Amino acid sequence: MAAFVLSAPSGAPASAFTGSHCRTNTPRSRISSSRICVLTCNLSEEETSQLSSARVSRRDLIRNAVLSTVSISSVLGAAAINPQAALAERDLMTAKRSYFRYAPRFEGGMDFYVLTLYPAIAAGDWKNVMDAYVPKSDAVEGSEKAKYGIDRKVSDLQRYLFDPMSIWAQSFAEKGSGPNYRYLAAREEALEDQMRRLKEIASSGKWSKDKQNEGMDQQTAALDAWSKGREAINEYIVKANANLSRELRKIEVIPETIENYQPHTARPKPYGSFQ
């Protein structure tokens, strides 16, 4: 005969402790309310051994759970001791995701700048130059946004260059804005300034009123604005490349000789599969 303290499973009836082999020292009403009782059971040695083994197994489970908790606490404690390493890893992953998302768009904008805008300026085709400033829908054709007229309308320059450059620059910020972000943002603003100048040159003859255009005819002034915009883009690229992790492909600058420009569709894909 052996005496054990057993806990009834949640929702188990008091009858779970009664039967032909067991008698309880606790009334059924108290069993039902507390779910704990002391049983005096007429068990065989084999049955007693099985119950003892089960009880030991429960102790092992509790001990393992405690050890697991200690292990997790140790890991969390290590992260707390060296938060800068964890933060650096997170920032690196954020920078990579931003690269995969905005670097291809930026390169597409460079293609537009070199392969579409420049030939129009070189040919004196002011109508096509001005088309770069016309707001257009950025929604997918046939989408709900386009159907109901709630799509965003931006120029090609805004969509292909200004937006990707300004958003991507934010991934280089350290501790707020940081010198890298401020430099890249300034280069993007310099590009916008030259493109506003180009718009004035190509539109209604206001090009002659800007001091930067002094002594230049319309086409020469337009090409000068484009060239200064190219310089701003290249300075942006050099700074961005200097802060990319080693496994990411560097972006190539726009060469002075336009014939040597390689469209981004013909370039090797950056690390990863995002295209």
Side-chain angles (χ1 to χ4, degrees):
M1 182 180 298
F4 298 95
V5 178
L6 301 180
S7 298
S10 178
S15 58
F17 292 100
T18 62
S20 57
H21 297 288
C22 300
R23 60 182 179 83
T24 176
N25 296 330
T26 306
R28 290 192 181 185
S29 59
R30 292 180 59 187
I31 294 173
S32 178
S33 60
S34 66
R35 303 183 185 281
I36 300 176
C37 65
V38 178
L39 303 183
T40 303
C41 303
N42 297 318
L43 301 178
S44 65
E45 292 183 1
E46 182 180 356
E47 290 171 328
T48 301
S49 176
Q50 290 176 354
L51 281 176
S52 298
S53 299
R55 191 168 58 179
V56 171
S57 298
R58 287 179 59 189
R59 282 203 304 269
D60 291 342
L61 289 174
I62 294 173
R63 182 186 60 187
N64 292 338
V66 171
L67 292 175
S68 298
T69 303
V70 172
S71 299
I72 294 172
S73 300
S74 299
V75 173
L76 295 177
I81 292 172
N82 192 8
Q84 292 183 347
L87 182 61
E89 181 66 22
R90 185 195 67 183
D91 290 346
L92 178 60
M93 295 306 299
T94 300
K96 286 182 178 180
R97 285 194 296 267
S98 184
Y99 173 87
F100 294 151
R101 184 169 186 177
Y102 294 107
R105 299 184 190 182
F106 175 41
E107 288 187 318
M110 292 167 59
D111 285 354
F112 171 79
Y113 194 77
V114 175
L115 303 178
T116 301
L117 186 59
Y118 177 83
I121 297 173
D125 187 353
W126 307 119
K127 181 177 181 296
N128 278 335
V129 171
M130 292 302 298
D131 187 64
Y133 299 89
V134 175
K136 303 178 182 70
S137 173
D138 64 352
V140 177
E141 185 176 355
S143 66
E144 292 295 316
K145 287 185 177 181
K147 179 179 178 181
Y148 294 106
I150 57 175
D151 50 328
R152 188 177 74 127
K153 294 178 176 61
V154 295
S155 69
D156 289 337
L157 284 170
Q158 185 75 40
R159 180 181 182 183
Y160 297 131
L161 277 173
F162 303 157
D163 282 353
M165 289 175 70
S166 60
I167 297 173
W168 190 27
Q170 296 175 18
S171 68
F172 294 92
E174 321 94 350
K175 296 181 180 178
S177 58
N180 289 332
Y181 167 73
R182 289 194 295 270
Y183 181 89
L184 294 172
R187 296 304 88 210
E188 190 274 331
E189 290 175 3
L191 173 62
E192 287 197 40
D193 287 342
Q194 291 302 321
M195 293 302 96
R196 280 192 290 268
R197 176 189 170 202
L198 175 62
K199 183 179 181 180
E200 292 180 351
I201 294 170
S203 58
S204 58
K206 296 179 181 178
W207 57 274
S208 60
K209 298 181 180 179
D210 193 317
K211 291 183 179 180
Q212 296 182 83
N213 306 325
E214 190 173 348
M216 302 179 185
D217 59 27
Q218 187 178 23
Q219 188 176 45
T220 302
L223 288 172
D224 183 68
W226 186 92
S227 295
K228 284 185 169 58
R230 178 184 67 85
E231 291 175 4
I233 291 174
N234 285 347
E235 289 167 350
Y236 182 103
I237 291 172
V238 171
K239 189 68 170 179
N241 283 343
N243 288 275
L244 291 179
S245 56
R246 289 181 297 178
E247 66 268 26
L248 299 177
R249 176 179 59 80
K250 309 297 183 183
I251 297 176
E252 297 179 20
V253 299
I254 300 174
E256 290 188 16
T257 304
I258 303 305
E259 290 75 15
N260 295 335
Y261 178 79
Q262 185 182 25
H264 85 282
T265 52
R267 300 173 188 173
K269 290 183 180 181
Y271 173 81
S273 56
F274 61 90
Q275 292 179 328

